[in-house]
Amino acid sequence: MSDVKDITRDLDKLDSQLDNLEDALAPLLGDIDEISSQLPLLDKAKLFSLAAYSIESLLFSALKLQGADAQNHAVYAELKRVQQYFGKIKAIEEPVGERSTTVNKEAAARVLKADLSDNKTLSSRLAEKIAEERARALLKSVEGRKRPADDSAASSADDSNGAKKSKHKHKGKGRSRK
């Protein structure tokens, strides 16, 4: 009998705690439409997802207390779905970083060539644009290779090449006189 009294006291405590929880949640869940209408869209999404998560986690806890396999229950799937909403909301809140996707220009050119092959004027204009892009890329690569030489390296190179150039100049002059 003493065990029954201990359980009764715990049940009374649980009952009072549930009443306190209901009182705390009543303003939020009772007028959730009114509260959400005053919030911005992102805050509204947070409110609904938090409310859904709190209800689902209470159901999950109740299943665990009953000894049911809560991991394989539909409530667990709902918890995971609501957690995905949290991730989406967090992604929206974070500032946008650099653009990670780029256009594959070669693939785009192949698609355009294939689609425009029957139209000769568009096909020729596309070929001209592609040739211009290739020329620009070639110029950029050539400009990237040119680097200014150091003064000391340039002067020593001029000295060593100067003797060779003078020999070539004499040979060139000698040939032209013949």
Side-chain angles (χ1 to χ4, degrees), residues 135-155:
R136 283 188 204 138
L138 181 63
L139 284 175
K140 277 187 178 181
S141 68
V142 169
E143 289 174 359
R145 289 183 197 159
K146 293 181 183 177
R147 287 184 264 162
D150 293 340
D151 291 337
S152 61
S155 63

Side-chain angles (χ1 to χ4, degrees), residues 3 9 27 75 92 94 109 133 147 157-158:
D3 292 337
R9 190 172 25 150
V75 172
I92 290 171
E94 291 177 357
E133 287 294 321
R147 287 184 264 162
D158 288 340

Side-chain angles (χ1 to χ4, degrees), residues 35-56:
I35 293 170
S36 66
S37 66
Q38 298 169 357
L39 295 174
L41 189 59
L42 188 59
D43 291 337
K44 191 184 295 188
K46 285 181 187 178
L47 173 69
F48 285 130
S49 60
L50 285 172
Y53 189 79
S54 62
I55 292 169
E56 296 296 333

Side-chain angles (χ1 to χ4, degrees), residues 50-164:
L50 285 172
Y53 189 79
S54 62
I55 292 169
E56 296 296 333
S57 73
L58 285 173
L59 289 172
F60 182 80
S61 298
L63 285 173
K64 288 287 260 187
L65 286 173
Q66 290 177 356
D69 186 16
Q71 298 287 331
N72 294 324
H73 198 272
V75 172
Y76 186 73
E78 281 296 309
L79 276 173
K80 291 299 179 187
R81 186 178 64 86
V82 174
Q83 285 176 350
Q84 288 176 347
Y85 287 141
F86 288 148
K88 290 177 183 180
I89 290 170
K90 185 177 180 181
I92 290 171
E93 286 179 327
E94 291 177 357
V96 177
E98 281 188 33
R99 193 172 131 187
S100 62
T101 57
T102 58
V103 176
N104 186 347
K105 293 179 183 178
E106 294 173 358
R110 285 194 306 268
V111 169
L112 289 174
K113 280 182 185 179
D115 287 342
L116 301 176
S117 63
D118 58 342
N119 192 337
K120 298 297 180 191
T121 57
L122 290 177
S123 181
S124 63
R125 278 201 296 182
L126 177 63
E128 290 173 7
K129 291 288 184 183
I130 291 172
E132 287 175 11
E133 287 294 321
R134 286 183 179 159
R136 283 188 204 138
L138 181 63
L139 284 175
K140 277 187 178 181
S141 68
V142 169
E143 289 174 359
R145 289 183 197 159
K146 293 181 183 177
R147 287 184 264 162
D150 293 340
D151 291 337
S152 61
S155 63
S156 64
D158 288 340
D159 293 340
S160 65
N161 290 338
K164 291 180 183 177

Side-chain angles (χ1 to χ4, degrees), residues 1-17:
M1 280 299 222
S2 65
D3 292 337
V4 175
K5 290 180 183 179
D6 290 338
I7 292 175
T8 307
R9 190 172 25 150
D10 289 338
L11 286 175
D12 290 338
K13 185 178 177 182
L14 178 63
D15 189 40
S16 66
Q17 287 177 349

